[in-house]
Amino acid sequence: MCTFFTNTYRRAGLSFRNRLLLSVLFVFSAEATATDPSPPGELRYSVYSSTAAEVFWNRATDDGIVVEYELQINEAVMRLDALSHFRDSLQEGQTYDVQVTSIDNEGNRSSPVSVSFVGGERSVPDVELPGDDEPPDTPDPLSPLNPPQAADSNIAEPADLYVRDGYDPIDVIRVDLRTATTEGVCTADDLSGCTLDDVMEDVDKNDDLTVDIAVHFQSDDFPDDGQIANAELRMRGSGSRFGAQKSLRIKLDSKEDLWRGERHLQLNKHPFESSRIRNKLAMDLMSQVPDLPSIRSQFVNLWIDDGEGPVDYGLFTHVERGSDYYLAQRGWGDDGNLYKAEDFRFDSSDLEDIRVDADGEPLNDARFASVLSIENGDDHRALESMLSAMHDPDRSFQSVLDEYFDDDNVMAWVSFNILVHQADITRHNFFLYNPANTRKFYFIPWDYDEAMGLWRDPPNDLKNDSLRQRVEFGYAVAARNSFLENFYRLPGIHERIVQATEQLRQTVLTEEVMTERVNGYLQRVAPYQKREPDSLHNPDFSLYLSEKLISAPGENLEALRTRFRVLMAPLLLEPQAMGGQWLFSWKPAHDVTATSGDIHYRLQVATTPLYEEGEIVVDVQDIADSVEMVSQHVDAALLPAGEYYARVIATPENEPDKYWQVSGNKLHIDRSTYYGSLQFRVP
């Protein structure tokens, strides 16, 4: 029912936020009286663990004016502008009586609705691992993945995209490779003698040798074609290359005889992720988010025959490659531009890297590829135009957003990332899609195996790792990405993000959906994690991981509502010598929630990046804020010749001991990284 009406509103051309809101209102709202708002509907709850639970309700209306809810848990009473409440301080065995009342802006109250639960009595279904000698039960079928249509036709995906070609029902398919290597050498200039062992030892992604070997590929849905070799195999990934188990790429030789309409199988091992489901879980959830294109994915059990019979290499997750085949699967044509972010922050320095000639071709291929990998397209003038506009001092960011981006796509990407704790998107882990003959760019997510965690409050001290956690918490993580930083500085953006994120939680990442998906996926991968080779390298796998994964969106939404006030970091610029003084300037900090009051700064200069007692030579406090740039003069006599380190600490007026922030600079010395510091030299 909810999907039907969401699609109806989509066809009416309503925005991402309004479509989600109307879907919730239509299905769940009750009829209000003339004087009192409607009650918030039936309460639901999930008990995730012995200490954590979440209560949910539906939005109530009083001619669209209901503004908040009164929540009573036993004797505690609170007011909320939210549609759920998460609590992680329950007492096991204690009964919790919950009552929620709608209150409109005139103080009118609805009749209350109630529910009770017992702390520790989990409402999330358990899934038992099969014994060593018993086959696993066939998991229950999961709900099919049919993407909602995007409001913007440029990124509309076919309704059956995620269920066709063998992608539904969701299961684990077997893939068999047989090596077809020959005698010879294995060098950057001659790969004729490379072996499977050479592939597995190719851990340096940046050297001149990329090992490819010939293999024969077949799978459950790609029968043996009788050839000696029909594909190539190589290692893939960056940091994962140093794991005990490697990720691999299979590339079919033929451009016509494809697997599921795809030429590449990108088999990710996720060696540092114990559940082995996070990436697929995130991609499948994203397929249900309006205006956010996703990636098709498949659990794979890989077997390789290197001449002595098939050997089980365990469980992998195939993720669809961003390429012309990706565009063709969606009917988007094959002439659009598709870029994979390698180290791209929408920065002014990136603009110099992606300069193009009159035909739109890169002026320097290596510089271009260092920030953006070109996955499709030949004319990149729109990219240069977009980034030039973003750094044009005569242009507002809002005007650039309106001209070059789709607001619904950006909001869907941002809000989903917050809900699943995808913090690693300031320089990579996304694609940019620029349809042919347009100036528009769309975000497409990529690589979510570190997502589905929690926004945990940073420690309240100046230790180096504590500073790292602080500059990577909540909105602050965006300070090193020019697009996100400017987006988060838009007026009223926090309220818009909260609304969009709540609606995603109520329609896409509900506790019911998370429970079904997480438990279903864990049940599918469990047999492979219990046996070799994965059992040797993934001892932390457990079905109890489901509790954390299921509860993550609710906890992250609560963090957004209540704890995202940690300031976005100021950015310290290179100090300038001016006669007998040094001028220190920095881009001001920013509170996206607009609740911190005045911000003041502390400038410290030290002789080492540790800022320990006796090393600080300049310490100026209570520096007033400024709109464009904050600055402070320092007497040059305090800084004789030598190496120095500077940092700024921004402190809000409201709760200064909790929501302060250090400068967003990051310094690499030898093999150590120092957060909040900028290095400079006095000659």
Side-chain angles (χ1 to χ4, degrees), residues 126-138:
D126 283 315
V127 182
E128 295 296 330
L129 280 169
D132 292 333
D133 300 323
E134 57 183 290
D137 294 332
T138 302

Side-chain angles (χ1 to χ4, degrees), residues 530-547:
K530 281 200 65 180
R531 73 189 194 205
E532 295 183 7
D534 290 350
S535 62
L536 299 176
H537 303 285
N538 189 23
D540 294 330
F541 177 83
S542 167
L543 287 177
Y544 291 111
L545 292 167
S546 66
E547 295 182 5

Side-chain angles (χ1 to χ4, degrees), residues 352-402:
E352 299 310 311
D353 292 328
I354 57 92
R355 292 292 187 188
V356 297
D357 61 21
D359 296 321
E361 297 182 358
L363 293 177
N364 186 312
D365 289 332
R367 287 188 65 176
F368 198 112
S370 70
V371 293
L372 287 173
S373 172
I374 301 172
E375 304 298 326
N376 199 67
D378 301 311
D379 184 349
H380 311 294
R381 286 176 291 182
L383 178 69
E384 184 180 17
S385 175
M386 176 268 289
L387 206 53
S388 296
M390 188 171 296
H391 293 282
D392 182 347
D394 296 327
R395 293 284 302 267
S396 69
F397 176 75
Q398 184 65 61
S399 71
V400 176
L401 183 67
D402 293 341

Side-chain angles (χ1 to χ4, degrees), residues 25-45:
L25 289 177
F26 190 96
V27 177
F28 298 116
S29 64
E31 182 180 358
T33 68
T35 57
D36 296 332
S38 64
E42 180 182 1
L43 296 187
R44 296 99 63 202
Y45 67 89

